[in-house]
Amino acid sequence: MRDLRPLFEPRSVAIVGASNDPAKWGRWLARGALRGEHRRSVWLVNKRGGEVLDRPAYPSLSDLPEAPELVVLAVPAAAFEDTVDEALEVGARAIVAISAGLGEMGEDGQALEAAVVERVRAAGAVLLGPNCNGFCDAAAEVELGLDDLPAGPIGFVSQSGNLCYEVAQLAADVGLGLSRVVSIGNQADLDAAAIVESLGADPHTGVITAYVEDFRDGRAFARAAQAARTPVVLLAAGGSEAGHRAARSHTGALASDSAAVDAACRAAGIVRVGTPRELVDAAQLLLARDRPKGRRVAVVGDGGGTGVIAADVASTLGLELPALSDGLRATLPGDLPATSSTANPVDLAGAGEQDFDSYARVVGALLRSGEVDTVLLVGYLGGYTHQSDELALRELEVARSLAAAAHESGRPLVAQLMYADAPPARLLRELGIPVYREIERALGSLARVAGADAGARGEISRFATSASGVVTGDGYLDARRLVEQAGVPLARCIAAGSLAAVLAAGDELGYPVVLKALGLLHKSDAGGVALDLEDADALARAHERMEGALAPAGYAVEEMVSAPGAVELIVGCRRDPRFGPLVLVGLGGVFTEVLRDFAVALAPAEPSELEELIRSLRGAPLLTGARGRPSVDLAAVARAAAALSRLAADHPELAEVEVNPLLARPDGAVGLDARVVLALPFAV
Amino acid sequence: MRDLRPLFEPRSVAIVGASNDPAKWGRWLARGALRGEHRRSVWLVNKRGGEVLDRPAYPSLSDLPEAPELVVLAVPAAAFEDTVDEALEVGARAIVAISAGLGEMGEDGQALEAAVVERVRAAGAVLLGPNCNGFCDAAAEVELGLDDLPAGPIGFVSQSGNLCYEVAQLAADVGLGLSRVVSIGNQADLDAAAIVESLGADPHTGVITAYVEDFRDGRAFARAAQAARTPVVLLAAGGSEAGHRAARSHTGALASDSAAVDAACRAAGIVRVGTPRELVDAAQLLLARDRPKGRRVAVVGDGGGTGVIAADVASTLGLELPALSDGLRATLPGDLPATSSTANPVDLAGAGEQDFDSYARVVGALLRSGEVDTVLLVGYLGGYTHQSDELALRELEVARSLAAAAHESGRPLVAQLMYADAPPARLLRELGIPVYREIERALGSLARVAGADAGARGEISRFATSASGVVTGDGYLDARRLVEQAGVPLARCIAAGSLAAVLAAGDELGYPVVLKALGLLHKSDAGGVALDLEDADALARAHERMEGALAPAGYAVEEMVSAPGAVELIVGCRRDPRFGPLVLVGLGGVFTEVLRDFAVALAPAEPSELEELIRSLRGAPLLTGARGRPSVDLAAVARAAAALSRLAADHPELAEVEVNPLLARPDGAVGLDARVVLALPFAV
């Protein structure tokens, strides 16, 4: 880990381009820096000298009384390079470059950035930006570009300046604030992963949140998230661009970047969200003392339709409201809503109003029971406060006893209260009980957090980056050889040229057989695949037709594999520019292409992870005995997918490798076709 | 329409059970009623007489100085009947019964309620409740059980008392309030439909919202919503109970109540929501001057990631962000985000900050262009206000010019602002521009409202309620006859008993044929269906096997229909206890059963509505040419489904009727099997 202490807790700071002009960043930065003057030396640099914000301005960095540890640049793009060099020369250990405009310089700008970063790193310094909004750190009392944000336990790394303010506003709504906010801009040197790493070691940060548009080294980001001592919430942008991306090949077209991000989040246990509000809501839940261990929720309401609505929303989100055991129900004072056949949701039905102790008694019993992972309290609590002073005091007692019951149980209590800003709700939050105003927020956060933990695995897998020389071609037979050697079973195949050889192969394999023409880009679409040839005559006719129509380079004769209850799957790998090799599993044909029912993992992946992934498909019941079908051998499917994923991870020269279909049978899995696409630098 | 004026705008009101006890409803109601004392006579009745709230209490209704128009009962369940009778006797025109406890009396309670309602109706009066929380009306200054709710344009009918307070809180968040709130309780007399009808005629109500657990006459509800002069938003409870419902038959098991509610909403143009927040958010959008006419949205942001996130969320919600024309783009000052290949989202990229006029110029140009249905403004606007007084004034000007541009265009502008409570945001709301704090709320509301309008149709169809005598049996041949006579084409069929007759039928139809054994409940599962019998030998063998194993009552010999590119669908009808006959269309087999990819309409339905419904299925691309398939004859499918829906609507004696599979071919549709289930009272 690089040392970011000089950046985030600088002993001295210099603002280059400090200004009195209220429309300029130089004033904004200088004013912010001066707020930390009681903690560190702050020097303002302006090439015209004079005074800035009633302080003497130094004409240049070399005029400062001593070396500044942190230098912040508010200079035009044209001055970026020279000013960084000057900062390094005077001994700066960290640089923040607000300057925009380098991106618009195109490749020249990128080359310039790269050259500057090289010099920064050579000097043992770090650079944040350029083209960023700066950062702030509440504990160190640093405000450089991001001012007036409420302090609290949320760390935030963002590729958008505005989003820093939006997240701050939303956090303040629920009494939360920010420990450190870092705008990363172009990530020329320090990228999102580096900032997550630093936040992961920051004692003032209780949860790390991030908004990222470009992951650079996506696996480094995932590893940093995994290594952090606090949970990580990710808002990743660009999922909707999947539809715009040109699809060079089948698998590649389906596995969007968003799927790659999902795969990384699953591997690292990152909670993925889709909006700033979801980000803050998840953070609130993750800051609670106990985190839900599963998807089982008991809903407790104090009358009205709120419990019913909560049950509906929970069901939509894939949370479970298990029926409570008779033994547990006997200990609860509440009545059940007449419309429900189970005791969950529990409806206190006015019991709360009659006996305020019943809230904590019921919630405590449910939490201790072990029959659920989380209790969600919904309803009116907090609304009695404005009825009388006595009730106001009673409600605060209820809040205290609820929090105590939750903490004692070691399981989380979450609340959704219509009076979410009333004193009892505020007290609950102070005592570490998340309180949401809207039911979709409470349950949405629970669903996202409960889902994220399940998939976390031991290690974010590494992959090879240099070619091994094993891959020698991208023809069908090359693809078969590679895939088979990797450990994926394929249907038996004999290569043949002449009609005689084709017929001999048919005899050897035993009919029915399949005939495939070799050397065609899309052999199936071109009519180069004939299935289920029942005898030598049929095989000969197919051969004759292909010879006439396609004149292929040769043929593959293969056994015709089918089985009652068999299901066609697709297993494929491709490389994401940010997250490296990915493995995709899906049900074949219309399921993958029309319904987009597939899932993606980082490659290489273990069979156990892939089996779980396959079970998560919407069409999974087809594999596990739906409609009286036999169950297929999912373990064999997962082994084949894992083998393919290792092949892809070991061979960067493979842009894509795919077995499609992979026939899943009750007694194993066998690939019926294979295909590779070589990465351009390795194309033969 | 029954006259509800005496209920909602009473000229006098009596509270029976008025009390000084702060823990009692009688005090709550009396206090609320007295707040309207300047508008009407208010009499308090307590059988012990004395004083209540410093006013003389009358011992009984008959002691009042004149007949009360409205009588409110806060009496025990045991006194319910007598007090209603007394109220009717003294001439009350409307009764509100808070009393709970009747429900717990089981069938006796229901019978009592029914008898009381009969007497209320005979007297020309109306009854709200029992077991309700009362109502309030802001314009009439009536508060009876629901107090201190903010006044505004939202009408709310609710089967939950607590939800009235929750909705009020959420509405107040966005500067909205309630015109009339009605807690309907047991709906013994006045049901949700009646209240919606009254709200639909209320000049103070700009949008009707409803929380309903039991629809009673669901079509009456839908018709009331359709007839209202204002839009209707529905929060219907109980969707998650679908899984609990015992599934007597295939189609019935799939079409849940929630699907029936969806069908009614689609037919009536009701906006369906899932939570109280969604209800208020939709209401805010529907209160705007212009309603979105479609799903095309242009997003305008002022820098940062907010536009990118908005695009992602919009895509997830099924909204379209069309690429803007070059001509339109040339008129916009903003730059595009580098990551986007289109000009939507439009990123002002700081242009707003430099030139505040650009907000309204860009938004106005987009709205007037006709290239989108709605413009969504996202971002920082409202945040400049706290920087200086000058900027605060400029932002208010921007808000005014934005609203003017929207109103001039006749298309809606919607905003999502991180400073959603700042003065510019508040001004936008006052000027009729919906402003949301969170992007998912802005876009979620747009998606829900845009989707609701599309399906509204001319008339909520009626259906027969008495049997016609046409249906004479529930056997396979009965089912075929009914379905064919209704206009659904079926595969040709000849009934046969002996082997000789079976073989003669095979010859007449031409091979291959299908043999079905008659008189079995699940003929396919029992081995009573043999497909694709290629010749007389195969037919004879199948006959022999069935004779031995099943000894059926007879046989049906049918032509074996298949076609390249044909797709199996399912079309079925069942009766929902609240919404009457429904027609379900879905892709057959795993699509319906595993993926639950089906849709439901009220029966009878027109072919055009059903064709649209089929096109909305996830698997619809299979029908319209996906993967190089031919397109099937959707019009023929829709005609068949419409015919079946008319059959179901005309014959209440049919509990279920189903054609499964219905084979959709490029050149028509033909049913391959038919089934009916008779309703119990009509079972033969």
Side-chain angles (χ1 to χ4, degrees), chain A residues 169 238 275 277 312 438 440, chain B residues 238 275 277 312 419 438 440:
Chain A
Q169 294 275 326
T275 69
R277 172 58 85 188
D312 283 348
E438 291 100 352
E440 57 268 54
Chain B
T275 70
R277 173 59 87 189
D312 283 348
Y419 295 94
E438 291 99 354
E440 57 268 52

Side-chain angles (χ1 to χ4, degrees), chain A residues 191 193 214-223 463 577-579:
Chain A
D191 60 9
D214 185 339
F215 283 88
R216 301 302 169 100
D217 183 345
R219 297 222 186 185
F221 182 88
R223 273 193 295 272
F463 56 90
R578 297 312 192 202
F579 289 92

Side-chain angles (χ1 to χ4, degrees), chain B residues 399-481:
Chain B
R400 266 183 224 103
S401 57
L402 279 169
H407 293 158
E408 188 198 321
S409 76
R411 291 195 180 82
L413 167 66
V414 173
Q416 181 256 325
L417 301 176
M418 63 182 88
Y419 295 94
D421 298 318
R426 290 207 303 270
L427 179 57
L428 278 172
R429 286 200 193 97
E430 281 163 28
L431 296 171
I433 305 299
V435 179
Y436 299 92
R437 179 146 200 179
E438 291 99 354
I439 187 63
E440 57 268 52
R441 289 171 50 199
L443 287 167
S445 303
L446 270 177
R448 283 176 208 107
V449 167
D453 233 14
R457 63 178 174 180
E459 197 195 351
I460 306 298
S461 46
R462 311 248 166 193
F463 56 91
T465 51
S466 60
S468 65
V470 172
V471 179
T472 54
D474 60 359
Y476 176 59
L477 296 176
D478 301 303
R480 279 191 57 99
R481 186 179 47 78

Side-chain angles (χ1 to χ4, degrees), chain B residues 265-508:
Chain B
C265 288
R266 197 178 320 107
I270 295 169
V271 177
R272 187 169 180 190
V273 297
T275 70
R277 173 59 87 189
E278 289 177 4
L279 180 145
V280 171
D281 284 344
Q284 190 189 177
L285 186 59
L286 290 164
L287 284 166
R289 187 189 302 201
D290 301 296
R291 189 168 166 176
K293 300 281 191 299
R295 301 193 150 263
R296 299 171 309 161
V297 180
V299 174
V300 178
D302 49 7
T306 45
V308 179
I309 294 169
D312 283 348
V313 174
S315 163
T316 304
L317 291 167
L319 294 167
E320 297 159 28
L321 266 67
L324 306 177
S325 70
D326 290 343
L328 177 55
R329 289 175 62 178
T331 70
L332 305 178
D335 293 320
L336 304 179
T339 51
S340 169
S341 61
T342 74
N344 188 5
V346 177
D347 186 359
L348 296 177
E353 206 171 328
Q354 301 301 318
D355 170 12
F356 276 95
D357 292 339
S358 63
Y359 280 104
R361 211 163 51 230
V362 168
V363 166
L366 289 166
L367 284 169
R368 285 190 306 271
S369 73
E371 295 186 17
V372 294
D373 302 298
T374 307
V375 170
L376 173 68
L377 176 70
V378 298
Y380 191 79
L381 185 71
Y384 300 103
T385 286
H386 68 268
Q387 291 179 21
S388 75
D389 291 348
E390 190 201 327
L391 288 177
L393 287 174
R394 291 291 290 129
E395 285 206 316
L396 292 177
E397 279 171 39
V398 169
R400 266 183 224 103
S401 57
L402 279 169
H407 293 158
E408 188 198 321
S409 76
R411 291 195 180 82
L413 167 66
V414 173
Q416 181 256 325
L417 301 176
M418 63 182 88
Y419 295 94
D421 298 318
R426 290 207 303 270
L427 179 57
L428 278 172
R429 286 200 193 97
E430 281 163 28
L431 296 171
I433 305 299
V435 179
Y436 299 92
R437 179 146 200 179
E438 291 99 354
I439 187 63
E440 57 268 52
R441 289 171 50 199
L443 287 167
S445 303
L446 270 177
R448 283 176 208 107
V449 167
D453 233 14
R457 63 178 174 180
E459 197 195 351
I460 306 298
S461 46
R462 311 248 166 193
F463 56 91
T465 51
S466 60
S468 65
V470 172
V471 179
T472 54
D474 60 359
Y476 176 59
L477 296 176
D478 301 303
R480 279 191 57 99
R481 186 179 47 78
L482 269 176
V483 163
E484 262 191 317
Q485 282 175 358
V488 181
L490 295 181
R492 284 188 301 146
C493 169
I494 296 174
S498 65
L499 174 62
V502 163
L503 291 174
D507 285 341
E508 188 177 333

